[in-house]
Amino acid sequence: MEFLQDITISWMIVFVITGFIAGYIDSIAGGGGMIQVPVLLYSGIPPVFVLATNKMASLFGTLMATIKYFLSKKISMKIVSIAIIPCLIASYIGSKLVMYIPDEIIKWAILVAIPIALFFLLKKSMDIKEEDTKLTNKNIVLTTAPIGFYDGILGPGTGTYMTISMKEFLHIDYVVATPSTKPLNLATNVGSAIAFVMAGKVLWMIAIPMAIANMLGSYVGTHFAIKGGEVFIKRVLIFVLIFMLLANIIKIVLEN
């Protein structure tokens, strides 16, 4: 791997800082991959290795967030127990298919998905009552598994999309939706990571320090999410989606 010769100590420091910021953002609203992936790509690492290394670093950050949210008793165990296996399987299938799908299709799919997510996020929220929730097995799987599939194909923004999807289609508050996405995101990360590790695409010398930094950022981020509640989480969600939209538009303009 000749490209690894260009990875200097300076780049490793950048990767660690990026991992911390990504872990912080991802633990609150998802979208950490939108921070890590561009930096890894800019360093000259080939795309497939970038996706694999990003996934491994994110996995450990998500694990930290999952533990912290679980200890705070914010996770809906009903949603997690029903959705976790379908999400893991969907993610694994997505990661196996990613090498056969043209980048152009994925790029435009993401660009279209962001405004749709913003629409659901910014529309007037309804007052959610316990009897309004729609936590049937079918609804839970249909709400989460397609996003698990997306996580396997590319990944950035998975936690954001899943949080908004739970709010919109399962009718649960962000203070429950955000923590509940983390074990599911962990499952999709595991499914995807298995595929990438088996293919030998993970750059461990980069993934390990980024994973440690991601865990630290995630620890800090979950603290602020628990303390800040729904208003804080929604603001970070909006920031992440706008950042994702602008980043993708700039990328498309530069490529053309």
Side-chain angles (χ1 to χ4, degrees), residues 2-214:
E2 295 181 2
F3 59 87
L4 288 178
Q5 297 176 3
D6 297 326
I7 304 301
T8 63
I9 296 296
S10 297
W11 268 118
M12 293 301 294
I13 293 173
V14 170
F15 292 152
V16 168
I17 294 173
T18 301
F20 179 88
I21 296 172
Y24 176 86
I25 295 294
D26 199 66
S27 66
I28 301 170
M34 286 300 296
I35 299 171
Q36 289 184 158
V37 168
V39 172
L40 288 166
L41 283 171
Y42 190 72
S43 71
I45 299 172
V48 173
F49 290 94
V50 165
L51 293 177
T53 303
N54 168 68
K55 188 64 63 179
M56 189 56 63
S58 298
L59 188 154
F60 286 94
T62 305
L63 175 61
M64 172 60 73
T66 300
I67 293 172
K68 204 160 188 299
Y69 280 129
F70 178 79
L71 293 176
S72 69
K73 299 181 179 179
K74 298 291 184 181
I75 296 174
S76 170
M77 297 309 298
K78 178 177 181 178
I79 293 175
V80 172
S81 62
I82 294 170
I84 194 165
I85 298 301
C87 281
L88 191 151
I89 294 172
S91 174
Y92 179 80
I93 294 172
S95 290
K96 297 293 285 186
L97 291 177
V98 70
M99 298 177 188
Y100 305 99
I101 299 176
D103 291 341
E104 195 71 16
I105 294 177
I106 296 175
K107 177 176 66 178
W108 285 102
I110 296 172
L111 195 61
V112 171
I114 295 171
I116 294 174
L118 270 171
F119 167 77
F120 285 122
L121 185 60
L122 295 173
K123 78 173 191 174
K124 185 178 180 181
S125 300
M126 57 184 167
D127 294 327
I128 299 174
K129 300 177 181 178
E130 187 174 351
E131 59 267 24
D132 292 331
T133 57
K134 300 182 177 181
L135 301 184
T136 64
N137 291 12
K138 180 180 178 180
N139 285 347
I140 291 172
V141 172
L142 291 178
T143 297
T144 57
I147 301 174
F149 179 77
Y150 162 80
D151 191 31
I153 288 180
L154 193 60
T158 296
T160 307
Y161 293 140
M162 193 171 288
T163 296
I164 295 171
S165 183
M166 284 187 185
K167 170 80 170 185
E168 182 64 25
F169 301 111
L170 299 182
H171 297 176
I172 59 177
D173 290 323
Y174 287 125
V175 290
V176 177
T178 295
S180 299
T181 64
K182 298 311 166 188
L184 300 181
N185 209 175
L186 179 63
T188 60
N189 280 344
V190 169
S192 182
I194 289 172
F196 283 130
V197 170
M198 290 176 65
K201 301 299 182 182
V202 178
L203 302 176
W204 294 103
M205 64 171 284
I206 298 173
I208 292 174
M210 284 192 80
I212 295 172
N214 210 286

Side-chain angles (χ1 to χ4, degrees), residues 221-230 232:
T222 51
H223 171 78
F224 280 98
I226 294 168
K227 185 177 179 180
E230 176 141 348
F232 176 72

